[in-house]
Structures are given as C-alpha cells and as structure tokens.
Amino acid sequence: MKRRHKRSTIPGKPGSTPLPLGKIPPRLLDKVLRAAVIYDPAVLQGPGLGTDAAIVLPPQGELLSLTSDPITFTPSELGRHLLAVNINDLVTTGACPRWLLLTLLLPPGTTEQGVESIFESIGEACKHYEIALVGGHTEITDAVSRPVAVGVLTGTVKRDRKVDPSRAEPGDHILLVGPIAIEGTAVLARERGREIESALGRAMRERAVKLLDDPGICIRDAALLAASRYLTHALHDPTEGGLATALLELADLTGWGVDVDATTVEVLPETEAICGHFGIDPFGLLASGSLLVVLPENDAMRLQRTIEDALDVSSTIIGVLTEQRECVWKDARGNRAHIPEFARDEIVRVLEKPEPKRPRPRGKTSQKKR
C-alpha cells in the first residue's frame, strides 16, 4: 500500500458553518453525487440515497480486475490523483478501468463548500478517465486530521488479453515508458519548495511541481496499448523505492533475472537537479508515471515506435530477462553491479528531516542616544 506525502486543507468561506460529525447530510450528498456521476449502461444500480451497494453487469466473456489504494491530497487535486494511482495498478493486468467505489473520510471543520470541491474533483477525474462512480461511503470524523480517500477500482479484460507474467521467458526485452521519478520530484518540489527555490531557483521548482500533471503520473494509455496490441508478458508500475526496486520486483514477478543498462534510462533535468541538491539517488525515488513492459524483442521494438507515435511519450529498451536469476545493471557510471535494494524510498530521507529555517534578513541596528 502506497504512502502519499501531501499536506491537505479543505476550503470554506470565512464564517461558513462546519458540517456535523457523521454522514454527509442527505441533501448535500444527493447534490454532489448528481454532479459527479457519469452514465454507464453497465451500471444497473449506482450511488444514491438509501442505496447500500452497487450492481454492475460485466461484458460477457470478460474477467473482472480489482484494486484498491488510498491517497491524501488537497481537494482540487484529490480526484485526478486518486484515480491515477488506482488506474496504474489495475492496468498492469491488461484491464480497462470501469467502476469506482469511494470511501471518503473528512476531518472536523469540513464545510459544504469543501465537500463540493472534493466531489467536483472526483467528478472531473471520472469524466477524464471515463470511469463511473458507483458507490462508497462518505463521513466526517475526528479519526482523521486531513481528507483520506480510498478508492476501490474495478475493470474488465478479455480472457485472451489478460497479462500473465508466468509467460515471461529469458530473452524477453524490458521496455521503460517515460522518465523516472516524476512523482518523487514533484512531491519534493512541493514539500521542500522554499529550500529548492532558494537553492535552484523559482523556475526550477515550478517546473518540477507541474510534472504531476505534465507528463503526469497515470500510465493507463501506454499500458492498455501494450496489452491490447502486443504479446505483452508483464506490466509493472514503479512506485515506492523507484525504478531499482521495481526491477527487483519484476524479477520476482516473472521468476527470472534482469540485466539492465541504467545509462539508457531517462532522467529529467528537474529530477537530476533536485536529487543532486538533496544528495539522493533518482533510481530509488518514488517513480509513479513510468511503466515497465516485458515482451519479446520484436514486439518490444514495435511497441516502442507505437507509443512514441501514438502517445508522444518517450520509451527505451533498457534490458532483458535472463536465465541467471541475478538482478544486475550497468549503473549510471558505467560499472557492472547488482541492482541496489532501497529499504525505504529516497523521499523519506528528505521528508523525515525538518526543513531548514530561512535565515532572517539582517537589518541595520540603531544605537540609542545617550
């Protein structure tokens, strides 16, 4: 289960009345659901007052894929990122995301405006990703001090297109889609904004923050393209512990070793600068937004061209699966070595330390007259 390092506040007009603890008032819940829910003919019973469960009718002959992930973000960002982290897990099976169950826990002091802001974000994200909100639970509780959203996402996949890592074989190529450590770079730019701006400049910090939206952290399009058109043996979503941890997990997932050339991996200038400032390794930094694809050599080269042409996203063949059950790479310095294990994400090394205080400007001292 992933940790999401975000500060969060719920907006409310000055003087607005906080909602009482417990379930959201029925009038308000009905209003926000009407605004957030999109129509899906497969949903036979969706969210509504007095409705305790959803009923959906999957397409005949298709399998269900399910995943769940929590997140905490500011209300204006919560929807897009809650959907993204759940989508990233689901599409690694080859499934198309369809239906969302949402559990939303809000802290005391939440106002009607705050609830509307969150559901507006959820609704916009559902429309963007073509996912139907079908049910869940929402309440205000003193058990949390910031909004906590838990998504349960369900999708469907045809039996013959389900991604099965057990089919992976030695000689399969490993394709990396997108640059690494997008999310880690953006989170550090937000959580340590003043320090980064002081050391690297405002323009660098602003560019890093925007990475969450461009290129973004959702891998849906690339994963579904790979699963639907090519002989894809495995899909993996690098997250905590960065690309290095994801490669070790990929070896466990497929049952084979990996041999990688890390010098071919794309690292954005913003990531290099911020990691350099904090003295951390980008290969061990939170990496949502990149995707590892395992498939035969010919399909790997074809998929690489298709992704770059259809999605305008960079991709690189970075290595192969091997019979030797070792995880090795040519590191960033060109040396052959075992892929390092990161016991915890590099972002924790930064965020566990208090942010340095900004030095006070020195003013002129005045002398008292005698």
Side-chain angles (χ1 to χ4, degrees):
M1 192 171 288
K2 305 177 182 68
R3 295 178 182 175
R4 302 287 157 185
H5 307 275
K6 288 287 168 189
R7 296 192 180 103
S8 183
T9 58
I10 298 184
K13 294 180 180 179
S16 56
T17 304
L19 294 169
L21 298 184
K23 292 184 178 181
I24 300 297
R27 172 191 56 81
L28 176 59
L29 183 60
D30 184 61
K31 176 183 178 181
V32 295
L33 285 178
R34 288 179 184 274
V37 175
I38 65 173
Y39 173 72
D40 182 342
V43 180
L44 305 184
Q45 180 170 290
L49 299 180
T51 302
D52 294 325
I55 300 175
V56 299
L57 180 65
Q60 188 172 3
E62 295 196 5
L63 304 173
L64 289 181
S65 178
L66 304 94
T67 191
S68 179
D69 229 335
I71 202 167
T72 60
F73 268 85
T74 55
S76 62
E77 301 168 323
L78 187 146
R80 182 71 66 93
H81 292 91
L82 175 70
L83 267 293
V85 298
N86 279 280
I87 286 171
N88 286 359
D89 286 341
L90 191 82
V91 295
T92 60
T93 66
C96 179
R98 297 285 301 273
W99 307 297
L100 174 70
L101 289 169
L102 172 69
T103 295
L104 187 62
L105 305 179
L106 304 173
T110 299
T111 63
E112 283 198 19
Q113 182 185 359
V115 174
E116 290 174 356
S117 175
I118 288 176
F119 273 89
E120 180 181 1
S121 175
I122 294 288
E124 289 176 352
C126 285
K127 291 181 177 69
H128 178 80
Y129 292 119
E130 300 178 313
I131 291 171
L133 174 63
V134 297
H137 177 81
T138 305
E139 73 171 272
I140 299 168
T141 172
D142 56 10
V144 299
S145 58
R146 64 176 67 185
V148 176
V150 182
V152 176
L153 186 62
T154 305
T156 58
V157 58
K158 294 180 179 179
R159 287 179 179 271
D160 61 346
R161 302 313 302 180
K162 182 178 77 72
V163 175
D164 184 359
S166 69
R167 296 186 305 210
E169 300 176 345
D172 280 355
H173 279 41
I174 303 170
L175 180 72
L176 174 66
V177 180
I180 64 169
I182 292 172
E183 186 176 16
T185 303
V187 169
L188 286 175
R190 291 190 173 200
E191 297 297 318
R192 291 293 185 263
R194 289 186 304 174
E195 181 180 350
I196 289 173
E197 188 169 319
S198 176
L200 303 174
R202 176 177 295 180
M204 174 66 74
R205 181 187 64 80
E206 290 178 349
R207 290 200 307 271
V209 168
K210 291 177 181 177
L211 293 178
L212 278 177
D213 297 312
D214 185 15
I217 62 171
C218 186
I219 58 172
R220 180 193 64 172
D221 294 344
L224 293 182
L225 192 156
S228 63
R229 297 194 194 179
Y230 299 94
L231 189 60
T232 299
H233 290 158
L235 293 167
H236 191 45
D237 165 34
T239 52
E240 290 192 9
L243 180 63
T245 300
L247 290 169
L248 298 176
E249 293 170 344
L250 189 64
D252 288 334
L253 184 67
T254 61
W256 301 107
V258 298
D259 191 338
V260 169
D261 184 353
T263 64
T264 63
V265 172
E266 181 182 8
V267 182
L268 295 175
E270 294 82 5
T271 300
E272 289 185 339
I274 289 175
C275 287
H277 169 72
F278 289 112
I280 58 176
D281 189 338
F283 286 87
L285 181 61
L286 190 61
S288 297
S290 56
L291 171 68
L292 289 171
V293 189
V294 175
L295 64 178
E297 179 179 1
N298 289 339
D299 282 317
M301 291 188 291
R302 290 166 54 210
L303 175 59
Q304 183 180 17
R305 291 192 295 268
T306 302
I307 284 177
E308 293 176 354
D309 292 341
L311 304 180
D312 193 27
V313 176
S314 62
S315 60
T316 308
I317 296 174
I318 63 170
V320 296
L321 298 186
T322 63
E323 290 186 4
Q324 293 76 25
R325 299 175 188 268
E326 289 189 314
C327 298
V328 295
W329 67 8
K330 181 164 71 172
D331 64 22
R333 297 179 180 178
N335 301 317
R336 293 280 295 175
H338 285 91
I339 297 175
E341 295 186 29
F342 289 85
R344 55 182 181 167
D345 197 283
E346 288 286 76
I347 201 170
V348 178
R349 291 179 51 201
V350 178
L351 297 184
E352 70 182 358
K353 299 176 183 177
E355 187 172 7
K357 293 183 179 180
R358 182 179 294 182
R360 295 180 179 178
R362 295 182 179 180
K364 293 181 179 180
T365 57
S366 58
Q367 293 181 343
K368 295 180 179 180
K369 293 182 180 179
R370 293 181 179 177

